[in-house]
Amino acid sequence: MATGDRLVAPPLWPLEARLAALLPDLLVFRKPRGSEPELATAQGVLLGVHVTGFTALMDRFSLSCKSEHDMDKLAHIFSYYISDIVEHVLCFGGDILNITGNVLLALWTVEQNQLSDIITLVAKCSLEIQEKFGIYHTREGQDLQLKIGLSAGRISQVIVGDEQRQYLLVIGRDVDGVQLAQRLAQANEIVLSWNCWKLCEQYMFEVEIMREDEAVKVGACSHPLNLRDMRISDPFDFDEHFDKCLDYLPHYRTSADILRTALELDPDSALEQTLRKHIMKSLLKKIDEGQPMEYISEFRTVTTVLVSLELHKTEWMLHLCHLIQEAALYISTVIEKGGGQLSRIFMFDKVSTKEFDTSALKGCMFLCVFGLPGDKKPDECAHALESSFSIFSFCWENLAETK
């Protein structure tokens, strides 16, 4: 198995393929279940990749750049660096859930009895990513480095929204586990959550326990991280193991000429309408205009509003989903009236490990943006402040179980 050279997209992909390229297989191949919120649960392995040094690189560019061309250059540096990592994850059968800022989250959805095999696959993928892309030297003198976290177990997939706009969230103890593993990792390290460690083939890994019942680090302190940290030696044949894992991954590419089967979809107007709900209107406009995919990435000066809801004393996942649904509908309506867009919704942190104890799901973050292409206004900061006050008042009066 080899990643090969970068694949060049045909000049004009079908519209469904252009939309699917921006979304995970989890959405592309799902069967809509009707009214929101939708809730589904599956077993899987999560990979989180955090790029460090990018904020410092942005600061250097902002101090020295003299034109928009310089900022475009920064966009392309990050886009191509992330693209290499994305391509590697796809070659190992991963599904890119999202890239938020400088963090990439990927998922391998499998059956419970397949988890240990897939953890081995994802660990090998992580080690190769660190070896190939773990340190990226830029001409500006600011290195980009990677911190990688893995977790495994039960993951809940939630879709909230309405007929115009929808959002995917992944929720659960093991989503929190990958976030914790990422935070505990230092640059060029790979950290496994405790549950991931319990589920894997432990004899294959050289590890150091970081915190009892929390996480382990792949590799010993005495030498740099490399592929030797997985004891892939006779009688273990990784190519044979990889072929075995392909049987667990129904959407793995069928041709070496393309990275995802989602890009080979036949025209389907119903699917197109479903996919469009998950993409911001500023991106849809570029796609509808036929702009090349490489020009979709850009840096802009924008105004952001972060709404953080602390969810407490909630006992059931479904009730939690309805709270997020109610908040999402109001926030998106208010933000759009003010000329902005609700960009993303994601969960963060936890305290408890009890099953169905949603006090473990400590908070939900709504990222809203003013000033995206087509929405730029001279008074966007005032609109953002006015929207924020309206959102705060609504949540205070109507969502009694949140802070």
Side-chain angles (χ1 to χ4, degrees):
M1 182 201 65
T3 56
D5 296 329
R6 180 182 300 282
L7 300 176
V8 179
L12 286 175
W13 284 356
L15 182 57
E16 287 82 3
R18 289 168 64 82
L19 297 172
L22 300 174
L23 298 171
D25 288 347
L26 201 63
L27 290 175
V28 175
F29 293 107
R30 100 183 209 272
K31 295 179 180 178
R33 300 185 180 185
S35 61
E36 286 70 36
E38 288 185 24
L39 173 63
T41 302
Q43 299 289 329
V45 179
L46 281 165
L47 165 69
V49 181
H50 179 203
V51 181
T52 67
F54 184 64
T55 303
L57 181 62
M58 284 187 66
D59 290 342
R60 290 194 182 200
F61 262 87
S62 63
L63 292 172
S64 61
C65 71
K66 299 179 177 62
S67 66
E68 287 188 6
H69 173 74
D70 290 330
M71 291 308 291
D72 287 340
K73 181 181 174 184
L74 176 58
H76 284 292
I77 288 174
F78 188 65
S79 182
Y80 276 100
Y81 183 52
I82 284 290
S83 293
D84 283 334
I85 298 169
V86 165
E87 181 173 330
H88 212 77
V89 171
L90 292 175
C91 286
F92 274 81
D95 188 16
I96 308 296
L97 294 182
N98 58 60
I99 302 171
T100 304
N102 54 353
V103 176
L104 176 151
L105 184 64
L107 172 67
W108 283 254
T109 304
V110 291
E111 299 297 326
Q112 186 168 8
N113 61 356
Q114 300 164 349
L115 284 173
S116 62
D117 285 338
I118 294 297
I119 292 171
T120 300
L121 178 77
V122 179
K124 178 71 155 52
C125 174
S126 303
L127 286 161
E128 287 194 9
I129 287 173
Q130 284 288 24
E131 280 207 328
K132 294 183 178 183
F133 316 115
I135 302 179
Y136 179 75
H137 304 290
T138 66
R139 292 180 180 178
E140 290 67 32
Q142 175 63 54
D143 290 345
L144 300 181
Q145 296 177 285
L146 301 178
K147 304 193 311 181
I148 294 180
L150 273 65
S151 72
R154 194 176 71 171
I155 295 152
S156 295
Q157 304 142 19
V158 181
I159 293 176
V160 299
D162 55 25
E163 284 301 309
Q164 282 72 48
R165 187 79 168 91
Q166 294 181 349
Y167 305 86
L168 169 69
L169 298 83
V170 286
I171 299 176
R173 181 184 67 180
D174 295 299
V175 178
D176 302 324
V178 77
Q179 294 172 347
L180 175 63
Q182 268 183 192
R183 288 198 300 271
L184 292 177
Q186 300 297 313
N188 307 119
E189 289 183 350
I190 298 170
V191 172
L192 277 58
S193 72
W194 195 256
N195 199 46
C196 186
W197 171 239
K198 289 194 298 182
L199 291 168
C200 75
E201 299 286 357
Q202 296 184 3
Y203 73 92
M204 295 188 62
F205 295 86
E206 184 79 27
V207 302
E208 172 189 333
I209 294 179
M210 302 182 72
R211 295 187 188 178
E212 191 69 33
D213 295 332
E214 286 195 10
V216 301
K217 180 174 72 174
V218 177
C221 294
S222 57
H223 62 79
L225 186 69
N226 57 49
L227 290 177
R228 290 192 302 274
D229 295 319
M230 282 187 69
R231 298 169 183 169
I232 299 177
S233 58
D234 292 334
F236 184 83
D237 183 332
F238 184 75
D239 289 337
E240 182 180 318
H241 181 82
F242 182 80
D243 291 338
K244 176 185 177 182
C245 290
L246 289 187
D247 292 336
Y248 310 152
L249 306 171
H251 302 305
Y252 190 76
R253 62 181 184 176
T254 55
S255 166
D257 297 328
I258 200 159
L259 283 171
R260 294 177 62 196
T261 55
L263 305 184
E264 300 176 303
L265 292 169
D266 294 326
D268 183 333
S269 58
L271 175 62
E272 177 192 332
Q273 292 306 312
T274 298
L275 298 183
R276 292 177 75 90
K277 296 176 186 178
H278 290 272
I279 299 174
M280 289 193 301
K281 64 180 182 180
S282 53
L283 289 181
L284 285 175
K285 185 173 185 294
K286 291 186 176 187
I287 293 171
D288 291 339
E289 291 172 351
Q291 292 190 27
M293 296 297 280
E294 58 266 28
Y295 293 120
I296 286 182
S297 296
E298 62 174 321
F299 278 101
R300 296 177 67 91
T301 300
V302 297
T303 301
T304 61
V305 173
L306 282 171
V307 182
S308 173
L309 293 185
E310 287 188 8
L311 304 148
H312 61 100
K313 296 182 180 178
T314 307
E315 295 182 359
W316 298 103
M317 182 72 76
L318 187 59
H319 183 54
L320 171 77
C321 295
H322 281 288
L323 283 175
I324 297 172
Q325 166 80 356
E326 188 175 357
L329 291 179
Y330 186 83
I331 290 170
S332 61
T333 300
V334 169
I335 293 295
E336 286 178 15
K337 282 183 180 177
Q341 297 180 53
L342 173 54
S343 169
R344 195 175 301 281
I345 308 172
F346 50 93
M347 306 299 296
F348 62 93
D349 281 340
K350 82 178 188 63
V351 254
S352 172
T353 57
K354 293 180 181 178
E355 194 173 28
F356 294 116
D357 178 3
T358 50
S359 62
L361 303 170
K362 193 176 179 183
C364 182
M365 188 81 78
F366 299 78
L367 173 61
C368 311
V369 186
F370 293 80
L372 290 169
D375 291 336
K376 200 69 180 173
K377 296 179 181 179
D379 53 353
E380 65 186 39
C381 288
H383 285 298
L385 185 58
E386 185 178 0
S387 300
S388 300
F389 181 78
S390 178
I391 291 166
F392 185 90
S393 299
F394 172 82
C395 293
W396 181 265
E397 294 169 5
N398 297 279
L399 303 180
E401 295 171 83
T402 67
K403 291 183 180 179

